[in-house]
Amino acid sequence: MSAPLADEPARRTVRERRLVHRGPIWDVVADDVELDPGVVVTREVIDHPGAVAVVALDPDDRVLLQRQYRHPAGLEMWEPPAGLLDVVGEDALTAAQRELYEEADLRATRWDLLVDYSTTPGGSTEALRVFLARDLVEVPAAERFEREHEEAGMPARWLPLEEAVDAVLTGGLHNPNTVVGVLAAAQARARGWSTLRPAETPWPHRRRHVMADVDPRA
């Protein structure tokens, strides 16, 4: 019997690394990387802190999606609660719980790891961890987070999981967290949730910190 299929960590020699752009959230670095002996190519990489997303399911297996404007795509996208891993020392599960509370006024008493993925492995270090949140509890009005900017007016919709799957497969929904999260949740449910992993599962594929040896962020 063959071993389970899995991506494997790999390294190539970086001959030179240059900071192309320093941004408030992520940087861009240019690597001169030796792919094979004597074969050196330049690859520009977005050094991203990573992010989490939350597929929240209610007792009727409806998934929560919120509409948010995404400027690079030029779309108002329906997507699950999500956020950057930009709080120093915060683990992924805590970040997901915070995002569900801040963006959706919800807490959950049951958390599982649904799926991990890399958003753009050809050009970014961004790693995404998608959690499944169930046994939801609405946050009392007096304890709710005060949202601002684009998050202040995000419409929300509870959609049966089957309808969300149809919307993905017919091209209506494009946000990667929605596509990956909805399809993974549907497949996990079809398998009796047997594919779920503990929410605290180690995450070795999170950010590479490619700028750590160049110009550390203050």
Side-chain angles (χ1 to χ4, degrees), residues 2-217:
S2 60
L5 191 65
D7 300 330
E8 298 181 6
R11 294 292 188 201
R12 298 292 186 271
T13 300
V14 176
R15 297 299 185 187
E16 184 179 355
R17 175 168 291 152
R18 300 174 299 282
L19 178 65
V20 176
H21 168 74
R22 180 172 294 287
I25 299 175
W26 52 70
D27 303 325
V28 179
V29 59
D31 279 348
D32 293 337
V33 56
E34 187 172 16
L35 296 183
D36 293 302
V39 180
V40 179
V41 298
T42 300
R43 294 287 184 265
E44 289 189 346
V45 179
I46 297 173
D47 187 22
H48 193 287
V52 292
V54 182
V55 173
L57 285 183
D58 71 4
D60 297 320
D61 280 354
R62 297 183 305 166
V63 60
L64 174 65
L65 297 178
Q66 299 171 309
R67 193 176 69 194
Q68 185 170 1
Y69 174 64
R70 295 299 185 181
H71 184 68
L75 293 171
E76 289 191 343
M77 290 182 154
W78 288 98
E79 54 192 69
L84 295 168
L85 289 167
D86 55 358
V87 177
V88 177
E90 185 178 56
D91 63 84
L93 175 58
T94 302
Q97 292 169 335
R98 174 175 54 80
E99 292 295 340
L100 184 64
Y101 159 70
E102 291 181 355
E103 292 192 355
D105 301 323
L106 292 172
R107 294 190 175 100
T109 59
R110 183 171 183 178
W111 289 85
D112 296 285
L113 172 54
L114 187 58
V115 68
D116 294 327
Y117 75 101
S118 296
T119 58
T120 316
S124 173
T125 63
E126 183 179 14
L128 226 306
R129 171 156 280 193
V130 185
F131 291 91
L132 178 67
R134 292 175 289 177
D135 297 343
L136 304 171
V137 179
E138 189 172 352
V139 175
E143 301 176 15
R144 292 180 180 178
F145 180 78
E146 187 175 346
R147 293 185 284 273
E148 57 184 9
H149 305 306
E150 71 272 13
E151 294 181 350
M154 294 192 301
R157 183 173 175 182
W158 289 94
L159 193 67
L161 187 56
E162 293 85 356
E163 291 186 24
V165 169
D166 289 343
V168 168
L169 296 180
T170 57
L173 301 177
H174 304 86
N175 181 276
N177 290 333
T178 307
V179 173
V180 173
V182 163
L183 296 182
Q187 187 59 227
R189 187 183 63 174
R191 299 186 183 198
W193 305 116
S194 63
T195 60
L196 297 178
R197 290 173 285 161
E200 299 85 359
T201 297
W203 191 10
H205 300 299
R206 190 177 163 182
R207 190 180 190 183
R208 288 172 49 209
H209 296 289
V210 298
M211 291 304 301
D213 58 345
V214 179
D215 185 12
R217 187 183 301 280

